[in-house]
Amino acid sequence: MTANAARRSDAISIARVICILGVVYVHAWTGLNGHDLEVARGTPQENLRWLLMEIFGRSAVPLLGVISGWLVGGSSRTQNWFAHVLRKARTILLPMVLWNGLGILLVSGAAWLLGLSAPVPVSFDWLFQELFIVSRNPDINVQMPFLRDLFLCMCAAPLLVRSPAWLLVSVAGAAALAQLMGWGPPVLMRPAILFFFVIGMMARRIGLAERVAALGLPIAGLPFLLLMAVQLHFSLQATQGAAIEIGVLDLAVRVAAAACFWRLSWALAGSPVRGMLLRIEPFAFLLFCSHLILIWLGGPVLGALFGKLGSPLYPAYLLIQPLLVLVAVLLLGSMLSRAWPGMAKVLSGGRLQRT
């Protein structure tokens, strides 16, 4: 049991690394605006980008929510609601606001000073929304609604962990319905985050993590591959379907992906790459928070060398973007930890306090 617990802990850390690296593909630099991306739809390079986004990006994110729910479901710290929320405000909400502020300072500043094609403040309301994500998604750090909604889930966690199974099922069902119907904002920007958070709590109660880990890797991955093939058909062939049907398929893909990536993380926790991935893990939160700022600023620089989406060298650039961002974050985190350890601790949600 002790060995399994240690491997499970390693698998959780590794899952954070591979999932957050995958998120980079969702926001990878293309050099094209929204209209041009729509025109490029169906081209080989855009199809490759879609596959990377869906398989390694959006499909991996739900596991982060499941892990958060699984961990808090077994934590005794939720017994004191005020202390629990204060701790989560310090490790989730405060970094979110600070990184949003840095995004405005660096990205909008580069737009003003260097002519970077990027959002700039247009009003006090824009600044307020960009910093705190009150009722709309931000324009710069578009990944941050995950932290915003995760913090709200954490606020409700002390109540949820004491709830009977039927109530958790009801909450998960309501969150899934809200996701399908688009009812989340302004309470939850992405209700699916609450859905997977509660799924994580339920998974802990029934030992689902151990059951999935006991599956063969092909068996755990097969539902994800099959559902992804159906989703690929809808997306690349432009097959029309009812919005609710597409939403159900999307949610099913995410559930299957969470199981697949958990099983993969379990396998990696027993592989030779375990040590390398565990050394990266303290930087994973920093990677999540900073990667879009790095892409906004660094994407066009390297894009001048590789070219935009559609250029011959772009596929190589696209494939290595997560690794390029990771190297930048490792250097940034290491330097910040040495030069300003207190700020490194805050910006990394407490993860870099011992590096």
Side-chain angles (χ1 to χ4, degrees):
M1 291 298 292
T2 302
N4 279 342
R7 184 167 178 176
R8 184 174 61 231
S9 176
D10 290 346
I12 288 172
S13 297
I14 290 170
R16 290 194 182 108
V17 174
I18 62 175
C19 288
I20 293 174
L21 278 173
V23 170
V24 177
Y25 280 127
V26 180
H27 309 123
W29 185 86
T30 64
L32 303 182
N33 58 32
H35 175 266
D36 292 337
L37 279 174
E38 187 61 32
V39 171
R41 183 184 178 90
T43 63
Q45 289 192 15
E46 174 58 16
N47 290 347
L48 172 63
R49 189 179 79 94
W50 185 92
L51 284 171
L52 293 172
M53 285 170 56
E54 292 297 324
I55 294 175
F56 300 108
R58 293 195 183 104
S59 295
V61 171
L63 182 55
L64 297 175
V66 172
I67 287 173
S68 296
W70 191 92
L71 289 173
V72 80
S75 175
S76 60
R77 294 183 174 184
T78 59
Q79 294 177 4
N80 186 323
W81 183 87
F82 182 79
H84 167 76
V85 171
L86 185 62
R87 184 169 57 254
K88 296 305 176 183
R90 187 169 59 248
T91 58
I92 297 176
L93 194 61
L94 178 59
M96 182 197 82
V97 174
L98 291 177
W99 278 110
N100 285 343
L102 285 170
I104 297 170
L105 177 66
L106 298 174
V107 176
S108 295
W112 273 326
L113 299 175
L114 305 175
L116 178 71
S117 179
V120 295
V122 293
S123 65
F124 176 79
D125 178 69
W126 185 92
L127 281 171
F128 190 76
Q129 292 281 0
E130 200 73 11
L131 281 172
F132 300 105
I133 317 178
V134 178
S135 60
R136 68 160 179 84
N137 291 318
D139 294 328
I140 297 176
N141 283 328
V142 298
Q143 82 281 23
M144 288 306 190
F146 176 83
L147 294 185
R148 180 240 198 227
D149 287 357
L150 180 62
F151 174 71
L152 293 179
C153 290
M154 288 295 181
C155 290
L159 175 62
L160 292 173
V161 296
R162 294 168 173 80
S163 299
W166 67 266
L167 184 55
L168 289 183
V169 171
S170 299
V171 172
L177 180 61
Q179 178 70 24
L180 294 174
M181 302 303 293
W183 291 341
V187 179
L188 291 173
M189 304 308 297
R190 300 171 185 173
I193 294 171
L194 174 60
F195 172 77
F196 286 106
F197 185 80
V198 174
I199 290 295
M201 289 184 167
M202 295 165 61
R204 187 176 192 112
R205 293 188 182 186
I206 63 176
L208 190 59
E210 292 75 15
R211 296 181 187 181
V212 174
L215 296 174
L217 192 53
I219 295 175
L222 184 60
F224 175 48
L225 294 177
L226 292 176
L227 288 168
M228 179 59 69
V230 177
Q231 191 175 52
L232 178 65
H233 171 75
F234 273 88
S235 177
L236 300 187
Q237 301 302 320
T239 303
Q240 295 299 313
I244 191 71
E245 294 172 354
I246 299 297
V248 170
L249 173 62
D250 184 73
L251 203 57
V253 170
R254 305 295 184 244
V255 171
C260 176
F261 277 94
W262 170 247
R263 182 61 184 85
L264 175 61
S265 301
W266 184 270
L268 292 174
S271 75
V273 300
R274 166 187 169 274
M276 177 188 68
L277 292 171
L278 291 179
R279 286 192 293 273
I280 294 172
E281 194 274 338
F283 297 86
F285 185 86
L286 198 70
L287 173 65
F288 180 84
C289 292
S290 66
H291 76 273
L292 254 167
I293 295 175
L294 294 171
I295 289 172
W296 276 110
L297 299 178
V301 176
L302 290 175
L305 174 64
F306 290 96
K308 301 178 181 180
L309 188 147
S311 302
L313 293 178
Y314 180 78
Y317 182 31
L318 174 63
L319 288 169
I320 64 173
Q321 279 194 51
L323 296 180
L324 294 174
V325 173
L326 175 61
V327 170
V329 169
L330 292 175
L331 292 174
L332 173 66
S334 298
M335 290 188 297
L336 190 60
S337 294
R338 293 186 179 94
W340 198 352
M343 184 56 66
K345 179 179 178 180
V346 172
L347 291 176
S348 67
R351 277 76 168 179
L352 289 182
Q353 54 186 324
R354 294 188 181 90
T355 61

